[in-house]
Amino acid sequence: MLKKPVFERGWMDMEDPKKKDRNEPFGDLMRSMNQLFHEKPGRGFLQTMDDFFKNPFPASSSFHVDVAETEKEHIISAELPGINKEQIQIDILDNYITISVKSAEIITEEDEKNKIFRRQQSMQRSSRTIPLPQQVNEKKVKAVYQNGLLQITVPKQQGKRILIDES
């Protein structure tokens, strides 16, 4: 009988029945691991891992933001369709405004007898940080959320002009 090269052999290459006893002291453990990953719970776990690595950062994890500037204010618009006002958080630190959105989803699949056989819960948190040219006075910032559009109005601060002496 011809032997396969090592790189062509599988984990449990059973060509030689004596091989298990002689060369593989962990043969039973390896057989158990193979069964674990080919049966339902293990296979589902591996499928979940495969799905994650195929798309670890889905496109829905971010949202579109526009920043416009007028003579007196900065207007930040964020498109958040399907999001409730309670899921939105706005934070201000120095000259940065951060918009965070938290969404949770529970998917339950049932069989004919209404016994749950799969429940999946996912939570997603997205955020965008917008830098502005000057420090933000949080007491004067206004935010409105309607029909999936968040609009934040930030008044510009007037700096003090310094006159230069000619002496």
Side-chain angles (χ1 to χ4, degrees), residues 30-77:
M30 290 169 49
R31 191 173 6 274
S32 297
M33 293 300 288
N34 271 345
Q35 286 176 349
L36 173 71
F37 288 121
H38 285 94
E39 291 178 4
K40 200 163 195 139
R43 188 173 55 221
F45 172 73
L46 291 175
Q47 183 63 44
T48 303
M49 293 295 289
D50 287 344
D51 292 344
F52 173 77
F53 285 110
K54 284 179 188 171
N55 194 10
F57 304 106
S60 63
S61 68
S62 189
F63 49 90
H64 184 73
V65 175
D66 282 323
V67 181
E69 183 176 359
T70 65
E71 197 173 305
K72 296 182 179 185
E73 59 195 11
H74 296 280
I75 301 169
I76 301 166
S77 301

Side-chain angles (χ1 to χ4, degrees), residues 41-126:
R43 188 173 55 221
F45 172 73
L46 291 175
Q47 183 63 44
T48 303
M49 293 295 289
D50 287 344
D51 292 344
F52 173 77
F53 285 110
K54 284 179 188 171
N55 194 10
F57 304 106
S60 63
S61 68
S62 189
F63 49 90
H64 184 73
V65 175
D66 282 323
V67 181
E69 183 176 359
T70 65
E71 197 173 305
K72 296 182 179 185
E73 59 195 11
H74 296 280
I75 301 169
I76 301 166
S77 301
E79 296 175 10
L80 304 169
I83 302 296
N84 296 326
K85 182 175 91 169
E86 294 77 24
Q87 296 173 285
I88 303 170
Q89 179 177 333
I90 302 170
D91 296 306
I92 298 173
L93 180 64
D94 296 329
N95 64 319
Y96 295 96
I97 294 184
T98 300
I99 304 167
S100 301
V101 177
K102 186 171 116 179
S103 60
E105 180 179 38
I106 298 174
I107 299 171
T108 303
E109 294 178 13
E110 298 178 3
D111 65 1
E112 299 89 37
K113 298 175 185 175
N114 291 331
K115 292 184 180 179
I116 297 174
F117 67 90
R118 182 176 177 198
R119 175 178 266 174
Q120 180 178 350
Q121 182 174 358
S122 64
M123 189 168 122
Q124 189 174 31
R125 186 173 180 98
S126 305

Side-chain angles (χ1 to χ4, degrees), residues 7-18:
F7 61 86
E8 287 184 13
R9 291 185 205 161
W11 271 48
M12 298 301 297
D13 196 350
M14 301 305 278
E15 288 179 2
D16 187 0
K18 297 176 189 173

